[in-house]
Amino acid sequence: MAKKFRHQLLGLFFLITVSLVKIRNISRKVTKLSPNVRDKLIIIHDDITPSKMMKPIISLTASLSFVALSLISLSKLVKKATKHPLPKRIKLNDNFPESNSKTFLTIPTPYNDGTNWTGRTNQTTHPSVIQFKDKWKGYKYWMTFTPYPYGNNKKENPSLVASHDGINWMVPPNVSNPIVSNKTIPAYLFDTYLSDSHLLYNNDTDELELWYRYVNNRQKKEILYRVRSSDTIQWTAPEKLIVDSKNLLQYVSPSIIYEEKKYKMWIMRDWYIYYLESSDGKKWSDPIPVDSENNPIHSWHPHVCKIDETYYLLNNDNNTNTGAGGKIYYSTSNDGIHFTKEQFILGFTANGLSYDSTGVYRASMTIGEQGVYLYYGQVSSAYQWTIGLSIGPDLNNLVGVDEANLNLYQTISNENLN
């Protein structure tokens, strides 16, 4: 690609030279372009930027009109060649908040985003991780997620990966992703999509249950579905559990736990968290508001899990559904309804460099070999959706994983497996 651009630049320079006389009259207008316009030039490779490409032209032309016109032409050329910008390389000495992830997990997805950056097959979000004391079907950790390359909801189809250590994730043999896609939904329409997948283990049936949300914008309809499997290879047909036709904010980001022979579910409804329960997943109790020190909990995408005898609420709070902004808090409870005061974990960095520079999203957690593992959705300034990882002795003392740490953890894990 770089060679192609160089040839095109030489041709561009030749045209500029030939047209020197004609452009002198408009050069004053061109040079009045604001820096904001010129700053819209996008990066096409980690080491190849428009500014570097312009050096040969700058050195050969003394006229400011040449430079201005070249920048405008090159901007159009690069934007035509690549639809999305690539992120700047993240340096380990950048001043990031300690608790924020400095990289992303290379979780394999069934989609390629069509660019050249290293994470082109790893764009995903909304992690839901479960952990087994002993291995289940050969793995200790299982995760469902929804691929989301550049926010494309047509590829937001629930998928499944597994891990021996909670850090290195793979698609197990014979598992075919996505597990379910929107094309399998009856009466599929252009404005429908799937989202908010959640994974649970049913110890009565020894099955994994993958729950997810179906949305029809035109009909303003939400449906919660589930599929079940005893081996992760063969899955049941999608089973309709809950149907709602209101404002599309009634069953957002469901978290479900199966215990005491019933399903316990937490949802975001109209920007607040509610609790329901059911014996069969179809007939549900009336929603009960969940509180933090007797105050309702504002939320965008919550996640609730139970570790030992404690319920943990990871609350991705936000005032928008665009993916921009957001913070993640945690609180605990003995009954799953009345939670302690929320404690801040992390928020988006807004530094223009990190993979969570633009936003943070729904989180999930486990207890791994190195301590507490916090997985969370993150959105870069290039609108790339990935999953970050922070590790620490507890949720108050997390350290975001960088590439060096990630490689170290992977080495330790491989040694333990061998």
Side-chain angles (χ1 to χ4, degrees), residues 57-173:
I57 297 179
I58 294 173
S59 63
L60 293 174
T61 60
S63 172
L64 184 59
S65 62
F66 284 3
V67 178
L69 185 58
S70 299
L71 286 171
I72 295 171
S73 301
L74 180 58
S75 175
K76 295 178 180 179
L77 178 64
V78 175
K79 287 181 179 179
K80 182 178 180 181
T82 178
K83 183 178 180 181
H84 300 286
L86 299 182
K88 295 181 179 179
R89 187 178 299 280
I90 296 178
K91 299 178 182 179
L92 299 183
N93 60 357
D94 282 333
N95 185 22
F96 296 156
E98 184 178 42
S99 57
N100 289 63
S101 178
K102 313 301 186 299
T103 185
F104 60 90
L105 293 177
T106 55
I107 296 171
T109 78
Y111 306 112
N112 188 316
D113 67 23
T115 66
N116 293 325
W117 78 294
T118 56
R120 58 187 173 274
T121 61
N122 307 127
Q123 284 210 57
T124 185
T125 192
H126 205 91
S128 174
V129 183
I130 60 173
Q131 175 183 0
F132 291 88
K133 184 177 180 180
D134 299 311
K135 293 181 179 180
W136 187 83
K137 308 304 177 184
Y139 299 90
K140 189 175 181 179
Y141 303 87
W142 291 84
M143 177 196 293
T144 183
F145 60 89
T146 48
Y148 206 44
Y150 296 108
N152 183 350
N153 65 11
K154 298 307 174 187
K155 296 182 179 179
E156 196 175 2
N157 299 318
S159 301
L160 188 72
V161 289
S163 174
H164 296 294
D165 58 7
I167 298 175
N168 300 287
W169 295 89
M170 64 202 77
V171 179

Side-chain angles (χ1 to χ4, degrees), residues 15-26:
L15 292 176
I16 292 173
T17 304
V18 173
S19 305
L20 174 61
V21 176
K22 294 182 180 180
I23 67 173
R24 285 187 183 278
N25 293 332
I26 64 171

Side-chain angles (χ1 to χ4, degrees), residues 63 89 140 204 319 337 339 399 406:
S63 172
R89 187 178 299 280
K140 189 175 181 179
D204 284 343
N319 292 313
I337 299 174
F339 283 80
V399 175
L406 191 60

